[in-house]
Amino acid sequence: MCGIVGYVGKEEAAPFLLDGLSKLEYRGYDSAGIATIDGTKLVVEKCVGRLAALKEKIDGHVPKGTIGIGHTRWATHGRPADNNAHPHTDGAGRFAVVHNGIIENYLPLKEGLLKKGHEFKSETDSEVVVHLLADVYDGDFEAAVHRVLTMIEGSYSLVFLSKDHPDRLICAKKDNPLVIGLGNGENFIASDIPAIISRTRRTYILNDGEIAVVHRDGVDVCNFAGERIDKKVFEVNWNAEAAEKGGYEHFMLKEIHEQPKAVRDTMSQRIAKDGKSVVFNELKWDKDFLDSIDKISIVACGTAYHAGLVGKTYIEKLVRIPVEIDVASEFRYKDPIIDDKTLTVVVSQSGETSDTLAALKEAKRRGAKTVAITNVVGSSIAREADRVIYTWAGPEIAVASTKAYTTQLVAFFMLALYMAEIEGTQPSERIAELIAALQKLPDDVSRTFEDMEPIKTFATKYGFNEDAFFIGRSLDYNVAMEGSLKLKEISYIHAEAYAAGELKHGTLALIVKGVPVIALATQKSVYEKTLGNIKEVKARDAVVIGIAAADDTELAKYVDHVIKVPATDELLIPILAVIPLQLLAYYAAVTRGCDVDKPRNLAKSVTVE
């Protein structure tokens, strides 16, 4: 979730670029940079670290010019470093570009450019774009940008700057947000409204497949085919604080709604073009490597631990290799039985979780092979592990993790498919079937938001209860644990999750009249058993909210309320089933007047034991 700004007008560009980037700092980043055109010279200043480091670097010699672009980078391809910071330029210093998103086919494009003599300065996918532009440029800036867009694949918002055309910026959007602010004798570009709200409230919101040529006195918009589009002005009526949250009341709600994109980005580049296999260029495992592994050990904390529970099932069902899972804070104190035939998978959103990092080091000390699933490039865990799978979810601001969890599930699912293909433990038809379901997942996630009113109603009605219980079997139990954690950490309701089959072993003593029970019933293999457990709690006068697939016609007969999610393979449905639970926790916290984004006593990244 990098930040983009652009300016063309009659004033100096740099002050706006720096101010605009400061308004986007909430998005999280690890480097910053700006580029302007000073006379006939393209000037670029960038460095790793916070925006303050960039300001200190250019103190006393702020780049001149009335046109420019700026960027704050959240590392994906390439570690946080000066050379990987944006803007990127071509070898001759004629063009500059800033980019949010992922260029999926950057490797073959880069290989072709290298053969032509292009020299690259960074490890990023983004730099490929500006070299492509220089390669195809024949004097027509707009035509060259259009040609570049036909060559790249992936998701992006892009802004191009050319010293040969110092009167215009060109920007394009596909799957990543981009807005144009309309001023008087000046116009602005940004990845999010907070960057421009102090200068204008009149905007164009670019849609996917649109390109804009931005001059100081006008903006021309067309589609990728070159057909002109008449944009309607969107008048921003949010205040600055609301603008940072994209109009959402809280960061948590915004991040819940970012999950379709986050899931799509995690899948990006990891499905072969024929749609029949999973590709992990960052792993490059083969059958000899997997045959050398006797077991897998998953280690994580909190929400990441709950993701690991689902990951355990994915790997055991699809790869047929035994998987152990441990809470990281317990792992290194239990004298774990691991050796050079163990693959240890550590999971951490931040990549800085103290207990998980210590567990990773202990596993390596005992000879285990290691892989990390994390969201932060260059983090301590990413540096320590033998291999890294990045989730590319973008930064989470809210303490309660949402999109990190769903993208960790996607990463685990793809890892399991990848291993199953290598080991031949699943028929190719089954692999293709699961990949097809996976590719539909971003749209399925979007559909879960179509009717949230019942969830708001339940939260309002039951949000003042002091106890709530979650039940489920198989993968539903793992999701119930995450739903319970979300509710307790942000609403402060005492919530517990139980394996539904364990009710008669003590838990039924806690079920009394009116207590809310959230019952997950998405797993067809244990569906009838789950219905029996639901009848048990209903017999004690509990209020039951059921979570079911859209094609379920039975559950409504046995519960008080039903929330349905799109039907998909039962291995993938946990990624959908958790979203109503996230929303239920969110609206319960709002009902109770809690500080949703910053719950008491909790921190986003736990860096001490």
Side-chain angles (χ1 to χ4, degrees):
M1 297 294 288
C2 313
I4 282 177
V5 291
Y7 176 86
V8 55
K10 50 197 174 185
E11 299 179 1
E12 290 293 315
F16 166 75
L17 299 176
L18 294 170
D19 180 67
L21 291 177
S22 73
K23 301 298 194 302
L24 299 177
E25 286 192 287
Y26 71 92
R27 297 163 71 94
Y29 65 101
D30 47 56
S31 61
I34 61 173
T36 65
I37 297 175
D38 183 359
T40 60
K41 186 178 180 182
L42 179 63
V43 180
V44 178
E45 294 285 358
K46 57 184 182 177
C47 66
V48 72
R50 310 298 289 178
L51 193 58
L54 176 63
K55 291 179 179 178
E56 182 178 351
K57 179 182 178 183
I58 63 176
D59 185 33
H61 61 278
V62 176
K64 301 293 184 181
T66 58
I67 185 171
I69 55 178
H71 192 270
T72 50
R73 177 178 185 255
W74 173 271
T76 54
H77 293 73
R79 67 192 187 282
D82 288 356
N83 62 308
N84 290 330
H86 295 222
H88 290 293
T89 61
D90 66 301
R94 172 175 278 176
F95 302 102
V97 69
V98 289
H99 167 229
N100 289 353
I102 297 170
I103 305 302
E104 296 180 1
N105 62 333
Y106 85 99
L107 279 175
L109 290 173
K110 185 174 183 177
E111 289 169 1
L113 290 164
L114 287 169
K115 289 177 182 177
K116 290 183 176 183
H118 287 257
E119 295 183 3
F120 286 77
K121 301 175 183 176
S122 79
E123 305 164 290
T124 70
D125 57 329
S126 305
E127 190 184 358
V128 166
V129 177
V130 74
H131 283 275
L132 278 178
L133 182 63
D135 194 61
V136 303
Y137 179 69
D138 61 1
D140 188 329
F141 190 17
E142 286 92 348
V145 169
H146 275 268
R147 188 171 177 191
V148 167
L149 296 178
T150 67
M151 301 169 73
I152 60 175
E153 299 171 5
S155 62
Y156 50 79
S157 52
L158 289 159
V159 186
F160 300 90
L161 175 68
S162 168
K163 75 171 186 177
D164 294 344
H165 304 271
D167 63 336
R168 74 198 68 177
L169 298 171
I170 302 179
C171 57
K173 176 196 182 304
K174 181 174 179 282
D175 295 329
N176 280 262
L178 205 60
V179 300
I180 298 171
L182 306 175
N184 182 16
E186 59 184 1
N187 288 303
F188 315 88
I189 299 172
S191 54
D192 210 349
I193 287 171
I196 61 175
I197 200 170
S198 65
R199 302 294 289 265
T200 182
R201 291 179 177 267
R202 299 177 67 249
T203 67
Y204 288 153
I205 310 295
L206 289 193
N207 296 319
D208 283 351
E210 291 183 348
I211 304 172
V213 180
V214 183
H215 300 268
R216 59 181 284 182
D217 295 316
V219 179
D220 298 314
V221 183
C222 66
N223 61 23
F224 283 8
E227 300 164 333
R228 183 179 174 82
I229 296 171
D230 291 324
K231 296 291 289 184
K232 291 183 179 180
V233 174
F234 173 73
E235 193 81 29
V236 178
N237 55 15
W238 311 327
N239 60 31
E241 182 181 359
E244 287 188 0
K245 299 167 185 153
Y248 292 100
E249 188 175 353
H250 297 95
F251 282 112
M252 182 180 177
L253 187 60
K254 178 176 183 281
E255 288 156 9
I256 289 172
H257 281 267
E258 287 174 345
Q259 287 177 115
K261 180 183 182 302
V263 166
R264 185 179 291 110
D265 286 348
T266 303
M267 292 160 48
S268 179
Q269 300 185 68
R270 291 171 174 154
I271 297 177
K273 288 190 175 182
D274 62 6
K276 295 181 180 178
S277 62
V278 170
V279 178
F280 271 109
N281 290 321
E282 59 266 61
L283 298 182
K284 296 181 180 177
W285 291 344
D286 57 20
K287 196 171 190 308
D288 287 342
F289 175 82
L290 292 183
D291 286 347
S292 72
I293 295 169
D294 287 342
K295 70 174 181 179
I296 294 175
S297 171
I298 298 174
V299 186
C301 300
T303 287
Y305 172 77
H306 295 157
L309 289 169
V310 178
K312 168 182 165 72
T313 298
Y314 286 165
I315 294 169
E316 289 187 337
K317 281 185 175 291
L318 294 175
V319 191
R320 307 308 297 167
I321 186 170
V323 181
E324 299 174 351
I325 180 163
D326 285 285
V327 175
S329 57
E330 295 291 326
F331 177 80
R332 59 192 165 124
Y333 300 115
K334 74 167 196 175
D335 192 17
I337 304 173
I338 57 174
D339 54 26
D340 60 354
K341 295 182 179 179
T342 304
L343 173 65
T344 298
V345 183
V346 297
V347 192
S348 167
Q349 187 281 137
S350 68
E352 302 294 344
T353 310
S354 175
D355 287 318
T356 307
L357 179 59
L360 170 59
K361 291 179 178 178
E362 178 64 15
K364 291 186 69 174
R365 189 183 71 80
R366 292 172 182 253
K369 304 170 179 72
T370 60
V371 61
I373 297 176
T374 186
N375 192 34
V376 181
V377 174
S379 59
S380 298
I381 285 172
R383 295 194 305 269
E384 188 74 27
D386 299 329
R387 295 286 186 272
V388 186
I389 297 172
Y390 290 115
T391 56
W392 297 327
E396 277 189 330
I397 308 300
V399 167
S401 182
T402 52
K403 62 180 180 175
Y405 173 79
T406 48
T407 55
Q408 286 163 2
L409 295 194
V410 172
F412 265 121
F413 186 74
M414 299 187 82
L415 179 63
L417 286 175
Y418 175 72
M419 296 171 69
E421 289 180 68
I422 294 172
E423 289 286 54
T425 51
Q426 297 295 319
S428 58
E429 295 81 9
R430 176 59 173 158
I431 297 287
E433 175 189 353
L434 290 173
I435 291 175
L438 182 66
Q439 290 178 303
K440 289 175 53 184
L441 200 61
D443 290 335
D444 288 339
V445 174
S446 295
R447 286 164 55 202
T448 63
F449 301 124
E450 289 178 355
D451 185 12
M452 294 190 294
E453 289 307 314
I455 299 174
K456 294 180 184 178
T457 300
F458 305 153
T460 302
K461 188 171 183 179
Y462 305 116
F464 290 103
N465 282 65
E466 292 306 316
D467 299 283
F469 298 93
F470 292 71
I471 61 172
R473 286 175 175 260
S474 184
L475 286 171
D476 279 339
Y477 173 44
N478 301 151
V479 177
M481 294 174 73
E482 175 60 13
S484 169
L485 176 62
K486 285 290 146 296
L487 188 64
K488 71 179 74 171
E489 69 182 336
I490 65 168
S491 74
Y492 316 144
I493 294 172
H494 168 246
E496 298 295 339
Y498 292 95
E502 292 293 294
L503 284 168
K504 289 189 288 291
H505 297 275
T507 314
L508 274 175
L510 301 173
I511 304 300
V512 296
K513 184 176 181 179
V515 70
V517 175
I518 295 87
L520 289 90
T522 71
Q523 298 294 299
K524 294 178 181 178
S525 57
V526 289
Y527 186 80
E528 293 299 326
K529 295 290 186 181
T530 302
L531 284 186
N533 300 134
I534 290 171
K535 292 173 187 177
E536 289 174 337
V537 296
K538 276 304 298 175
R540 274 82 180 167
D541 294 321
V543 175
V544 182
I545 300 171
I547 308 293
D551 56 2
D552 187 299
T553 59
E554 286 294 307
L555 188 61
K557 300 174 185 177
Y558 306 103
V559 301
D560 298 281
H561 314 283
V562 177
I563 300 170
K564 291 192 174 182
V565 298
T568 187
D569 192 281
E570 71 174 37
L571 288 177
L572 282 170
I573 209 164
I575 301 168
L576 304 176
V578 76
I579 294 172
L581 305 187
Q582 295 171 345
L583 289 165
L584 189 63
Y586 170 79
Y587 287 114
V590 171
T591 296
R592 295 165 69 90
C594 301
D595 188 343
V596 173
D597 288 333
K598 298 177 181 177
R600 66 191 183 201
N601 303 331
L602 299 179
K604 182 64 183 172
S605 180
V606 182
T607 57
V608 294
E609 186 173 3

